[in-house]
Amino acid sequence: MALLRSILFALLFYPGTLVYVLTVIAVSPIGDRPVQAVVHAWSAYHHWLVRYLLNIRSLWDGKIPEGAYLIAVKHQSMMEAVDTLHFARSPVVVMKRELTVIPLFGWVTRRYGVIGVDRNAGASALRAMMVEAKAAIAGGRPVIIFPEGTRVPYGQSPPLQSGFAGLYRALGLPVVPVAHDVGRIWGRGFVKQSGIAHFKVGEVIPAGLKREEIETRVHAAINALTP
């Protein structure tokens, strides 16, 4: 049954994504709000398929506050990566640059407003990330980042990437950490298991902390559901 649900999910989600991508391109000349509305509708479509086709229910402990925050999220699967667009109001998401250069889809991500990071570019990538992130918060949009970098299997808790502390210091924003255990039912393989994905919103961590302290606190908070 899990295999069948996963096949149906792929058959509906990926062609549906193409429709949303083309719709964004069509409404792009109208302005930012129509673009954001279509992208959020795409995320809602994904969330609906996850809930009612894959039979994965999200259970939240806590709520992400509205306002200017740096939202730090554990990264284990595509599920939470797409669902982050529901986490806050029109958030800007820090993602790997490879996703922003995919034909059509990559253009849509840049049009919506993401921060593409080239992990091999060193200091220049960090400077570019700072500029884009400052532009985002100037427009009143929160910034979502996956501090550990790439997806990690459930149960693992690697150290944070250096870019997180730099972004935290440059933006001067408090941090809202989000832990989850999505990887327990949605791993790197094709088949997704049904079940409950638990999310836990940690206490807001203030701005201005030293690097060691902010990294320690964020790492612990986003791994609160990691065994």
Side-chain angles (χ1 to χ4, degrees):
M1 184 61 73
L3 175 60
L4 177 59
R5 286 196 299 260
S6 299
I7 292 173
L8 291 174
F9 172 82
L11 291 175
L12 290 174
F13 176 67
Y14 292 106
T17 295
L18 178 59
V19 172
Y20 281 104
V21 165
L22 295 176
T23 304
V24 169
I25 294 172
V27 304
S28 180
I30 302 176
D32 292 343
R33 289 194 175 183
V35 168
Q36 292 173 5
V38 175
V39 172
H40 297 159
W42 168 72
S43 179
Y45 172 66
H46 169 267
H47 187 78
W48 188 92
L49 291 176
V50 169
R51 175 64 185 90
Y52 295 103
L53 184 58
L54 295 178
N55 195 27
I56 298 175
R57 184 161 62 94
S58 296
L59 185 63
W60 282 79
D61 178 4
K63 183 178 179 181
I64 296 177
E66 292 190 11
Y69 291 98
L70 182 58
I71 304 172
V73 184
K74 182 77 177 179
H75 189 19
Q76 294 177 340
S77 74
M78 184 184 75
M79 176 181 160
E80 78 279 352
V82 178
D83 265 11
T84 52
L85 296 173
H86 283 297
F87 287 8
R89 184 174 298 174
S90 299
V92 173
V93 182
V94 179
M95 63 173 58
K96 59 183 180 181
R97 184 179 177 276
E98 292 93 323
L99 296 176
T100 69
V101 296
I102 297 174
L104 297 181
F105 179 82
W107 184 89
V108 168
T109 65
R110 298 192 302 273
R111 180 64 179 84
Y112 170 78
V114 303
I115 301 173
V117 179
D118 184 351
R119 297 173 186 147
N120 298 319
S124 62
L126 182 58
R127 287 193 295 269
M129 182 173 68
M130 301 305 175
V131 171
E132 294 177 2
K134 288 181 178 180
I137 63 172
R141 301 173 68 180
V143 176
I144 291 178
I145 187 171
F146 303 104
E148 292 174 341
T150 189
R151 289 179 298 169
V152 297
Y154 176 67
Q156 293 188 12
S157 53
L160 306 190
Q161 296 292 308
S162 59
F164 170 76
L167 188 63
Y168 166 78
R169 182 176 61 253
L171 297 183
L173 293 177
V175 179
V176 178
V178 179
H180 62 81
D181 61 357
V182 173
R184 181 174 50 83
I185 52 180
W186 186 314
R188 289 181 176 269
F190 177 77
V191 178
K192 289 82 175 172
Q193 303 297 326
S194 62
I196 298 177
H198 301 88
F199 289 82
K200 180 178 177 60
V201 181
E203 294 184 4
V204 176
I205 303 173
L209 301 180
K210 293 183 178 180
R211 176 172 179 172
E212 182 178 356
E213 182 176 1
I214 186 60
E215 288 188 337
T216 299
R217 292 180 63 173
V218 167
H219 187 267
I222 68 172
N223 285 289
L225 298 180
T226 301

